[in-house]
Amino acid sequence: GEDVEQSLFLSVREGDSSVINCTYTDSSSTYLYWYKQEPGAGLQLLTYIFSNMDMKQDQRLTVLLNKKDKHLSLRIADTQTGDSAIYFCAEKSNTGKLIFGQGTTLQVKP
Amino acid sequence: DAGITQSPRHKVTETGTPVTLRCHQTENHRYMYWYRQDPGHGLRLIHYSYGVKDTDKGEVSDGYSVSRSKTEDFLLTLESATSSQTSVYFCAITPQGRPYEQYFGPGTRLTVT
């Protein structure tokens, strides 16, 4: 079935790069997403990538997609304390629904 | 926030009571969704709607019903709340003309005692 897996926790120092990883099982996924959730808030759509792309860059964010290995990553350059949040990976399955991972908590230390 | 509001934002209720959560949007979006968020599970789809009176089940629909009598409102009802329905509930929309995107409301924290 459809499944999305993420590591649960990542800690980095302010100014370093963060890399959050995600794997998915549905090879027919059309779009893959990264959402950010700050405490007590809803999910904010950060970026998404179409499955026929390998990379997408948007300011400090770089998304890499390895479709062969069904692996998606989000790199945040020059990580700031304001980047501390939970990051969710999601895939759009062939049924059109979004399937979410469990979320990765990013802790940024000053 | 894509013009989405949810009410109430917090609710505590007793087991066995009915509860209705409301999602309201002001931009005429056709597609609306209800998710629940639980630790270790990410977000899971409960029900969704693709127009007035057009709804369908998601992966965790048991114990929930929905209604959409107006474009702007999507209601989620727990007919008889149970402790396993303690969760944070999020509404989401897909904007017109951007079918690959979903935007979320601020959430409703529901506690069933």
Side-chain angles (χ1 to χ4, degrees), chain B residues 37-82:
Chain B
Q37 182 179 24
D38 304 289
H41 288 282
L43 275 80
R44 293 179 291 173
L45 182 65
I46 306 171
H47 281 280
Y48 65 100
S49 169
Y50 42 94
V52 172
K53 292 189 170 52
D54 290 324
T55 65
D56 207 346
K57 295 179 180 179
E59 63 176 307
V60 290
S61 59
D62 287 349
Y64 301 95
S65 62
V66 289
S67 66
R68 190 151 178 218
S69 59
K70 299 185 288 185
T71 301
E72 57 266 35
D73 287 324
F74 190 31
L75 304 181
L76 177 71
T77 296
L78 291 65
E79 302 289 349
S80 177
T82 67

Side-chain angles (χ1 to χ4, degrees), chain A residues 1-41:
Chain A
E2 303 152 338
D3 196 17
V4 178
E5 295 284 339
Q6 300 177 239
S7 53
L8 295 182
F9 186 78
L10 176 66
S11 180
V12 301
R13 292 242 170 248
E14 192 173 17
D16 288 350
S17 292
S18 307
V19 180
I20 303 171
N21 294 300
C22 169
T23 57
Y24 61 97
T25 57
D26 186 355
S27 57
S28 64
S29 294
T30 53
Y31 285 85
L32 295 126
Y33 302 79
W34 285 105
Y35 282 86
K36 176 183 180 184
Q37 185 181 34
E38 298 185 41

Side-chain angles (χ1 to χ4, degrees), chain A residues 2 6 8 30-31 33 35 37 40-46 48 50 86 88 92 95-103, chain B residues 9 33 35 37 40-45 48 56-59 88 90 94 98-107 109:
Chain A
E2 303 152 338
Q6 300 177 239
L8 295 182
T30 53
Y31 285 85
Y33 302 79
Y35 282 86
Q37 185 181 34
L43 275 71
Q44 173 194 352
L45 178 61
L46 284 178
Y48 60 96
F50 188 47
I86 304 175
F88 290 93
K92 192 176 188 76
T95 61
K97 300 183 181 69
L98 288 191
I99 309 296
F100 286 84
Q102 315 97 304
Chain B
R9 293 293 315 277
Y33 312 82
Y35 291 87
Q37 182 179 24
H41 288 282
L43 275 80
R44 293 179 291 173
L45 182 65
Y48 65 100
D56 207 346
K57 295 179 180 179
E59 63 176 307
V88 182
F90 288 100
T94 290
R98 303 209 297 273
Y100 309 117
E101 299 173 13
Q102 275 190 29
Y103 293 91
F104 286 77
R109 182 172 293 276

